[in-house]
Amino acid sequence: MIKELENFKGFSAKKLPLADPLASGHRACQGCGEVLALKLAMKAIGMNSIVVSATGCMEIITSTFPQTAWNVPWLHVAFENAAAVASGTEAALKVLMRKGKIPQKHIDIVAIGGDGATADIGLQSLSGAMERGHDFVYICLDNEAYMNTGVQRSSSTPYGAMTTTSPPGKKSFGQATKKKNVPAIAVAHNIPYVATASPAYFLDLMNKAKKAALVKGPAYLHIYSSCPTGWRHGGDLAIEISKLAVETNVFPLYEVIEGKYIINRKITKPKPVAEYLKKQGRFRHLTDDLIAQIQRQVDEEYDKLLKLAGETA
Amino acid sequence: MAKRIGMEVSIAASEAVKLADVDLIAAYPITPQTHIVEHLSEVVADGELDAAFVPVESEHSAMSCCIGSSAAGARTFTATSSQGLALMHEILFIAPAMRLPIVMVVANRALSGPISIWNDHSDIMAEQDIAWIQTFAENGQEVFDLVLHAFRVAEDSKVLLPVIVNLDGFTLSHVIEPIEILDKAEVDKYLPPYKPKVRLDPRKPVSMGLVGIPEIYTEAKKATNEALINSKRVVLKAWKEFGDLFGRYYNPVESYKTEGAEVILITMGSISETAMTAIDKMREKGMQVGLVRFRLWKPFPAPEFKKAIAGAQTLAVVDRALSPGGACGPVAEEIKAALYAERGRPKVYNFIAGLGGRDVTVENFEEIVSKAFTYAKKRPKQLYEMIGVREI
Ligand SMILES: Cc1ncc(C[n+]2csc(CCOP(=O)(O)OP(=O)(O)O)c2C)c(N)n1
Ligand code: SF4
């Protein structure tokens, strides 16, 4: 157990922080699961924080001049460099405090990026920042495509999904590659805390965001973030689909604390993946064969996770 | 008290950064800039300087890290060259737009391809439109002085813009010169501590780097441009005060033997010293030639430049970078544009020299001047000319 986490009791539904670093009045699409996830994570981390945002949906919808939805200091520089910018901010605050130029007080540095900003173009800067050991939280809001530019595939887009650059056609069934496992990449950097979370399990998500902020050194949080616009599902379904993703083992919830895997919600009787896929327009073209193939992939990945956690099905 | 000591110019640059008591240095190695960050890493490791030394994984991240640091209110420095500067390109525009007073030393080097580690100005001339204040040093003393000047100007509340100090790679960066190094008390008299007006602080939240909708983008660009143009007043004032304190006075452009000159050579950076030798030689032969060199490159010091060349009939502009497919090199282009509306403007001939580390010799300058005299009588056939090309 990490020392900083020993006294953390966890949030309860009755006693949630009142203040919201990310205010309402932002411009996200109706029913956006990503902004909900971000809002919950920031509520947990709290007002004593500085947020660095990569270019993407969450940046655009919260910062259209002359308005801002941010109640905490917020900085956006570019698409691929949130982790590098956060490195600078974190290192600068530390030295300014050491030199007595600003008051000595812990401030949480939070870098946020979409799956494109994290798994693709920003992977280098994320890797560099984790390797250097900056004390910051990196949150990947994974909506499984480049949504801000109009639903193009990323390396986090799941196998078979339709996007505007992985369209199904006579010779294609949609995304032909498997989703990149960024949490595993983060784990490989030997950082103290890595976790996955989902807005459908909001207390779990908030607890993980807070833990990520509490630990010293880099922490990586990978949050499932449904996107009704890109996934082609109803604006009222974000939570239902997020829940199904966990219940089908498509998106398992786990933590990796100092390298040790812990499955937080072990699904003993998973629902068929088809139940999850059928609710979303992006999988509408899939044949039964492909669905069976995806089921096999999900089972295999979950088995691997069980092994890592030292558990059996 | 200031001490005059023999020192490698790169080390002098980092000594100035040390004396400026920077808070954060983002570092990524590239020849010929490397000695600067290496020396800084040593002074931090030895506790001579209390600063965060962030050994980032690329120059793109170096500039990103600098922006995060400067936004947090820290005095921030980095240095690079060539491919590294090119890799920063995207992020370079964002620092002035956010009004962040980052200081960067660029040890100028040719850009690939072919890959070349040697000096010319093609790296920095590809970064013309980034709204950073830019100066060019001629010798080691200037490098040291211009770095201190850079912090002083950048952080002035009337400026708040990033500054690049350019120095020629190898031909200046790796040379050992006698340099007068100011002491800490002297530097403190010149450079007050940086007190940012706005910074990332949870007690007073601000949002930085917001979306610029079409209704405000033009206005935002205009504001940054005006800040850059207006920075010249502070640039000049800070040089005047430097001179008053330490006896070395600097100007945006420097003239050498321009009285009565028919042809004026225009240069930047360390080749100016060779050019001066060439001027001396030609003057001895009775030729009416002089030299004007830029120390301040951006904002372009138009009035000072026009004054410096007044009376000359012909300018021979030496560019250290090629603008492929263009009408002339980048320096000549700027000069031609600045003079176009002038009555009785001089003729401007452009010579591209010293690419990728090719020596620019006294003989080259003599050739350039002699060509300029000829062209003044008989128009050249080409828009510009490359000097010292070996025909195989
Ligand atoms: C260097 C660069 N390339 C491309 C873009 C265009 N761009 C902006 S946001 C974006 C996609 C963002 O996707 P993601 O990170 O997944 O976040 P989302 O919008 O889905 O939340 C792209 C491609 C850019 N801003 N910068
Ligand atoms: S496109 Fe998707 S992720 Fe972006 S704001 Fe809309 S619903 Fe949210």
Side-chain angles (χ1 to χ4, degrees), chain A residues 240-285:
Chain A
E240 200 174 317
I241 289 180
S242 306
K243 211 163 178 190
L244 268 175
V246 175
E247 291 168 343
T248 53
N249 282 338
V250 164
F251 191 89
L253 298 179
Y254 60 93
E255 280 172 308
V256 190
I257 302 179
E258 290 186 317
K260 199 176 165 330
Y261 277 76
I262 303 149
I263 298 174
N264 306 111
R265 189 164 284 268
K266 208 171 142 190
I267 310 292
T268 36
K269 282 201 194 109
K271 291 185 177 164
V273 172
E275 246 185 74
Y276 171 75
L277 301 175
K278 291 219 158 110
K279 285 222 168 353
Q280 305 171 55
R282 62 174 172 157
F283 296 117
R284 191 182 309 143
H285 59 283

Side-chain angles (χ1 to χ4, degrees), chain A:
Chain A
M1 181 72 165
I2 295 179
K3 186 166 81 305
E4 298 94 50
L5 300 183
E6 272 165 18
N7 296 325
F8 177 60
K9 300 267 178 312
F11 293 100
S12 73
K14 279 192 188 145
K15 260 212 219 145
L16 290 180
L18 290 176
D20 269 318
L22 174 59
S24 47
H26 55 73
R27 296 159 190 237
C29 310
Q30 260 186 28
C32 171
E34 178 157 336
V35 79
L36 176 63
L38 179 58
K39 199 177 168 75
L40 288 168
M42 286 315 303
K43 199 180 191 44
I45 295 171
M47 301 299 288
N48 188 33
S49 55
I50 293 174
V51 175
V52 177
S53 179
T55 312
C57 270
M58 293 305 103
E59 169 256 334
I60 298 287
I61 59 107
T62 59
S63 81
T64 309
F65 188 89
Q67 293 162 342
T68 174
W70 290 97
N71 284 322
V72 290
W74 177 89
L75 170 66
H76 159 253
V77 180
F79 183 25
E80 62 286 348
N81 63 354
V85 175
S87 303
T89 303
E90 185 263 356
L93 288 184
K94 245 195 209 156
V95 72
L96 290 175
M97 286 179 196
R98 186 168 74 221
K99 287 174 149 185
K101 292 187 180 178
I102 58 170
Q104 279 267 301
K105 189 172 179 225
H106 179 78
I107 295 170
D108 289 310
I109 310 286
V110 186
I112 56 176
D115 49 291
T118 306
D120 295 336
I121 199 166
L123 191 61
Q124 171 185 307
S125 77
L126 173 61
S127 171
M130 291 193 296
E131 178 271 327
R132 290 190 300 274
H134 295 280
D135 185 7
F136 78 127
V137 182
Y138 189 96
I139 299 179
C140 171
L141 296 158
D142 184 5
N143 59 18
E144 304 192 322
Y146 298 136
M147 296 312 178
N148 185 48
T149 36
V151 202
Q152 295 87 20
R153 62 86 75 184
S154 77
S155 62
S156 195
T157 300
Y159 189 78
M162 168 185 70
T163 72
T164 56
T165 50
S166 64
K170 286 199 188 102
K171 299 193 168 181
S172 156
F173 55 86
Q175 174 92 345
T177 53
K178 290 186 204 164
K179 187 180 173 87
K180 191 188 276 184
N181 188 343
V182 188
I185 294 172
V187 171
H189 284 75
N190 291 322
I191 60 173
Y193 190 80
V194 176
T196 63
S198 158
Y201 300 86
F202 75 99
L203 282 176
D204 178 75
L205 183 152
M206 288 179 71
N207 288 338
K208 285 171 173 169
K210 189 69 190 178
K211 282 180 178 178
L214 284 172
V215 294
K216 277 213 184 70
Y220 178 84
L221 195 55
H222 195 100
I223 310 186
Y224 182 91
S225 305
S226 85
C227 166
T229 310
W231 296 5
R232 315 269 168 100
H233 65 66
D236 55 342
L237 290 185
I239 293 301
E240 200 174 317
I241 289 180
S242 306
K243 211 163 178 190
L244 268 175
V246 175
E247 291 168 343
T248 53
N249 282 338
V250 164
F251 191 89
L253 298 179
Y254 60 93
E255 280 172 308
V256 190
I257 302 179
E258 290 186 317
K260 199 176 165 330
Y261 277 76
I262 303 149
I263 298 174
N264 306 111
R265 189 164 284 268
K266 208 171 142 190
I267 310 292
T268 36
K269 282 201 194 109
K271 291 185 177 164
V273 172
E275 246 185 74
Y276 171 75
L277 301 175
K278 291 219 158 110
K279 285 222 168 353
Q280 305 171 55
R282 62 174 172 157
F283 296 117
R284 191 182 309 143
H285 59 283
L286 294 181
T287 58
D288 288 344
D289 274 357
L290 276 162
I291 291 174
Q293 203 178 323
I294 293 171
Q295 180 72 60
R296 278 197 300 279
Q297 284 176 15
V298 167
D299 293 344
E300 267 171 34
E301 284 301 314
Y302 194 68
D303 275 348
K304 265 196 234 167
L305 183 67
L306 284 175
K307 281 204 189 84
L308 285 168
E311 296 197 26
T312 45

Side-chain angles (χ1 to χ4, degrees), chain B residues 118 169 179 189 245 273 282 348:
Chain B
W118 292 276
I179 300 170
K189 260 189 264 166
L245 279 170
E273 299 206 329
M282 289 184 278
V348 180

Side-chain angles (χ1 to χ4, degrees), chain B residues 5 12 25 29 115 118 120 217 221 249 268 273 299 309 326 369 376:
Chain B
I5 31 183
I25 299 148
I115 187 167
W118 292 276
D120 70 24
Y217 184 85
K221 283 287 163 192
Y249 288 91
M268 281 195 322
E273 299 206 329
I309 54 129
V369 168

